[in-house]
C-alpha cells in the first residue's frame, strides 16, 4: 500500500496540525534511518555520574498483515526463548516463524477491527506450559487458549467471561497471590469487576468479584482508561479510571469499593500511579486514546480534605496514544513512558489519523517540576491498544513489542 502523505482533517484538527508540524518534519527526516535499523538517541544516565548512554533499537517486522491490536510474549515451546503471540498466531523466536493458534480470520485495516485486543500469557491450568489469554472486541468475550504442548492442531479455547468492558481492561495481581487476574468491566451489568485467575488445576473458573455498583462508570464496552495504583498510601492497589478511583478495601473480594471522584483527564489508554514530583504522594499519568495529549495529574493533598488533582501536559506532539507503558527504558532507576500513535484507530476519521504512525519513549526527569524528553523510535509502526515492554532477548535491556493495523513488530534495544 502506498504510504499516505501527512494529512489533517479540517476544523479542530487544524490546531492539532500546527502543534504537530515540527514533530512530523523531524519524523520524516528520521524515516530513512529508522525504517530498517531503528532510531538512535543519546541520553544522560543519572545513575552513572551523568555519563551519556546510547539508546538504540533494531526494528524487526514479524508480519505486515493486520492480525491483532494487542500482543503478548512468552516461551511457548519450552526452548528457553521468548516468543511473540498476536491474534491467531504465535511467532517462534529467534527467526519469528509463524504458527497458528486458531483458524485465522481476515481483517482489513480501513474497514473494521480485529477480534484480538489486550493480550497476555500465563500458565492458566498449571500444566507447565504457557497459555495465551486474549480480550476480544470491546464488550465481547475474553478467552484463554490452552497450549497444545507441541502437538499439531489448534489450541483448545476456554472462556473467561462473555462480555468485557473498557478498552483498557488488562491483567493485574489484584489479590496479591502472585498470579495476574483480569480487571475490566462486566459489560452485561456495566459493573467494574475483577476476575480471579484460577488458583488450582482442579478449578479453572475465573471467579468474578464486583468492585462498583451496576451501571457505573468505566465498565461500558467502549469506556477508555483503566489502571491500578496506591493513590492514598495505605499499601493497597486502588483501581483508577478517568473519572476517579475506587479505594481498595482490606479484603479485595468484598463488593462496593468506595469511589472517589476526580478529574483524571479525557478518554485514555492504560493509567499508572507514580510520585513524579517527589512530594511523597502518588500522581497519575494518562494518554489520549483518540485525541491529542499525554498528561500527568498531580495529586495535591490537604489536611482533613479530599485530595485535589492538577493536570499538566507532557506532550501534544501526536494523536491516538491508545497504548501506554510506564517502564524504565534507560536503567536510570526512574520509569519512562513508551507510547505512539495507533494507526487508523477509527478508520481515518480521528484527527491526525493519516499521519506517520510514530513510536516514542519519553525519558523522565524526576523532580519538583518533572519533565519528559521525547525520543523517536520509529515512524512506520505506532502502537495498538497496548504496548508491551519486556526484555525478550535476555540481555538485560528492555525491548518493545507492538501489534496493530500495520502488522506485528519487535524493537530490540541494542547494547551500548
Amino acid at each position: 500500500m502506498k504510504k499516505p502523505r501527512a494529512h489533517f482533517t479540517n476544523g479542530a484538527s487544524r490546531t492539532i496540525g500546527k502543534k504537530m508540524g515540527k514533530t512530523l518534519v523531524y519524523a520524516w527526516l528520521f524515516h530513512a534511518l529508522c525504517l530498517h535499523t531503528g532510531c538512535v538517541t543519546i541520553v544522560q544516565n543519572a545513575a552513572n555520574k551523568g555519563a551519556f548512554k546510547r539508546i538504540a533499537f533494531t526494528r524487526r517486522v514479524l508480519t505486515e498483515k493486520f492480525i491483532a491490536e494487542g500482543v503478548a510474549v512468552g516461551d511457548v515451546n519450552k526452548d528457553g526463548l521468548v516468543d511473540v503471540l498476536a491474534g491467531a498466531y504465535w511467532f517462534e523466536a529467534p527467526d519469528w516463524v509463524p504458527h497458528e493458534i486458531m483458524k485465522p480470520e481476515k481483517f482489513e485495516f480501513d474497514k473494521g477491527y480485529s477480534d484480538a485486543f489486550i493480550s497476555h500469557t500465563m500458565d492458566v491450568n498449571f500444566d507447565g506450559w504457557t497459555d495465551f489469554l486474549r480480550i476480544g472486541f470491546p464488550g465481547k468475550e475474553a478467552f484463554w487458549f490452552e497450549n497444545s504442548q507441541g502437538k499439531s492442531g489448534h489450541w483448545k479455547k476456554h472462556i473467561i467471561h462473555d462480555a468485557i468492558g473498557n478498552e483498557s481492561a488488562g491483567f493485574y495481581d489484584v489479590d496479591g497471590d502472585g498470579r495476574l487476574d483480569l480487571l475490566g468491566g462486566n459489560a452485561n451489568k456495566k459493573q467494574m469487576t475483577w476476575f480471579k485467575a484460577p488458583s488450582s488445576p482442579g478449578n479453572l473458573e475465573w471467579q468474578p468479584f464486583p468492585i462498583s455498583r451496576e451501571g457505573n462508570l468505566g465498565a461500558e464496552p467502549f469506556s477508555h482508561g483503566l489502571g491500578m495504583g496506591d493513590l492514598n498510601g495505605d499499601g493497597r492497589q486502588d483501581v483508577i479510571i478517568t473519572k476517579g478511583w475506587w479505594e481498595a478495601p482490606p479484603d479485595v473480594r468484598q463488593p462496593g469499593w468506595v469511589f472517589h471522584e476526580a478529574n483524571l483527564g479525557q478518554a485514555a489508554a492504560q493509567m499508572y500511579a507514580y510520585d513524579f514530583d517527589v512530594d511523597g504522594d502518588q500522581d497519575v499519568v494518562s494518554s489520549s486514546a483518540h485525541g491529542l495529549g499525554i498528561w500527568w495529574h498531580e495529586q495535591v493533598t490537604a489536611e482533613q480534605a479530599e485530595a485535589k488533582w492538577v493536570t499538566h501536559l507532557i506532550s501534544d506532539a501526536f494523536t491516538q496514544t491508545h497504548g501506554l507503558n510506564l517502564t524504565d527504558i534507560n536503567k536510570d532507576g526512574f520509569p519512562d513512558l513508551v507510547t505512539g500513535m495507533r494507526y487508523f484507530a477509527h478508520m481515518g476519521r480521528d484527527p491526525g489519523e493519516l499521519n506517520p504512525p510514530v513510536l516514542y519513549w519519553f525519558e523522565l526527569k524526576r523532580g519538583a517540576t518533572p519533565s519528559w524528553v521525547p525520543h523517536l523510535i520509529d515512524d512506520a509502526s505506532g502502537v495498538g491498544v497496548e504496548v508491551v515492554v519486556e526484555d525478550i532477548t535476555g540481555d538485560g535491556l528492555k525491548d518493545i513489542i507492538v501489534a496493530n493495523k500495520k502488522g506485528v513488530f519487535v524493537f530490540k534495544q541494542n547494547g551500548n
Side-chain angles (χ1 to χ4, degrees):
M1 183 186 76
K2 186 177 180 181
K3 192 167 186 176
R5 293 179 178 272
H7 169 76
F8 298 94
T9 57
N10 54 19
S13 46
R14 289 194 185 114
T15 302
I16 294 174
K18 291 178 182 178
K19 292 181 178 180
M20 294 174 63
K22 287 186 178 179
T23 299
L24 289 172
V25 169
Y26 293 140
W28 283 109
L29 290 174
F30 268 108
H31 177 72
L33 173 63
C34 299
L35 186 58
H36 298 293
T37 62
C39 291
V40 177
T41 55
I42 307 297
V43 301
Q44 193 171 23
N45 190 345
N48 190 20
K49 298 181 180 180
F52 286 91
K53 181 179 179 181
R54 180 178 181 269
I55 302 292
F57 293 87
T58 298
R59 178 180 189 261
R60 183 70 182 268
V61 181
L62 277 58
T63 180
E64 292 182 330
K65 293 181 180 179
F66 170 33
I67 63 172
E69 307 188 57
V71 67
V73 297
D75 183 2
V76 171
N77 55 350
K78 288 191 168 187
D79 64 353
L81 301 177
V82 179
D83 310 300
V84 172
L85 303 89
Y89 298 90
W90 69 276
F91 297 87
E92 183 180 356
D95 298 322
W96 309 119
V97 177
H99 304 272
E100 289 186 6
I101 295 174
M102 66 208 76
K103 183 179 179 180
E105 295 184 40
K106 183 179 180 180
F107 305 111
E108 298 184 63
F109 80 98
D110 57 347
K111 293 182 175 62
Y113 303 94
S114 73
D115 60 356
F117 279 59
I118 303 293
S119 301
H120 178 58
T121 60
M122 65 183 292
D123 179 7
V124 177
N125 57 351
F126 300 90
D127 65 354
W129 292 80
T130 296
D131 305 307
F132 183 38
L133 296 78
R134 205 180 75 182
I135 301 174
F137 186 80
K140 299 294 185 181
E141 302 93 341
F143 295 104
W144 70 274
F145 298 84
E146 184 177 349
N147 194 313
S148 64
Q149 302 184 9
K151 302 180 181 68
S152 60
H154 294 150
W155 298 16
K156 185 177 180 180
K157 182 167 69 172
H158 307 264
I159 193 164
I160 297 174
H161 187 68
D162 64 351
I164 298 295
N166 198 305
E167 293 190 24
S168 304
F171 295 89
Y172 303 84
D173 185 4
V174 179
D175 58 357
D177 69 349
R179 286 171 66 80
L180 297 190
D181 311 295
L182 171 56
L183 173 65
N186 178 338
N188 296 323
K189 298 182 178 181
K190 296 182 179 178
Q191 185 174 37
M192 188 58 65
T193 304
W194 69 277
F195 301 84
K196 180 175 174 57
S199 55
S200 71
N203 182 5
L204 298 180
E205 176 190 0
W206 291 70
Q207 185 177 358
F209 291 95
I211 291 172
S212 71
R213 300 185 305 274
E214 293 186 17
N216 218 308
L217 300 171
E220 299 91 343
F222 299 105
S223 296
H224 288 76
L226 184 61
M228 293 196 75
D230 181 11
L231 293 189
N232 59 352
D234 65 357
R236 297 189 289 268
Q237 295 294 299
D238 309 305
V239 172
I240 309 166
I241 61 172
T242 59
K243 301 299 183 184
W245 55 283
W246 283 280
E247 181 180 344
D251 182 357
V252 294
R253 295 170 297 180
Q254 77 176 54
W257 296 20
V258 175
F259 186 72
H260 301 266
E261 291 188 8
N263 182 3
L264 298 177
Q266 60 178 264
Q270 291 75 26
M271 304 177 72
Y272 301 90
Y274 183 75
D275 183 10
F276 295 108
D277 54 358
V278 204
D279 66 352
D281 57 27
Q282 295 288 290
D283 310 301
V284 172
V285 65
S286 67
S287 62
S288 176
H290 293 286
L292 178 68
I294 307 167
W295 311 272
W296 73 283
H297 309 279
E298 179 185 3
Q299 183 173 181
V300 181
T301 57
E303 292 185 8
Q304 307 301 322
E306 190 80 7
K308 295 182 179 179
W309 300 85
V310 179
T311 296
H312 306 272
L313 181 68
I314 295 174
S315 175
D316 58 0
F318 51 92
T319 65
Q320 320 301 319
T321 46
H322 210 302
L324 181 68
N325 199 308
L326 180 72
T327 185
D328 184 4
I329 289 291
N330 57 349
K331 301 178 74 170
D332 65 353
F334 304 125
D336 310 298
L337 298 174
V338 180
T339 188
M341 187 184 113
R342 181 184 171 198
Y343 181 68
F344 257 57
H346 280 158
M347 276 72 75
R349 297 190 298 268
D350 283 344
E353 209 167 323
L354 297 181
N355 292 306
V358 293
L359 178 65
Y360 271 84
W361 72 279
F362 288 82
E363 179 186 0
L364 171 62
K365 300 295 184 181
R366 193 173 182 235
T369 305
S371 61
W372 284 260
V373 180
H375 300 285
L376 177 66
I377 298 170
D378 187 58
D379 71 346
S381 55
V383 299
V385 295
E386 64 179 337
V387 51
V388 172
V389 183
E390 189 170 325
D391 175 15
I392 64 171
T393 60
D395 61 1
L397 302 174
K398 290 186 177 179
D399 310 302
I400 300 171
I401 307 94
V402 295
N404 57 24
K405 292 185 174 184
K406 296 287 286 184
V408 181
F409 305 87
V410 168
F411 293 89
K412 179 188 178 300
Q413 186 176 163
N414 303 324
N416 289 342

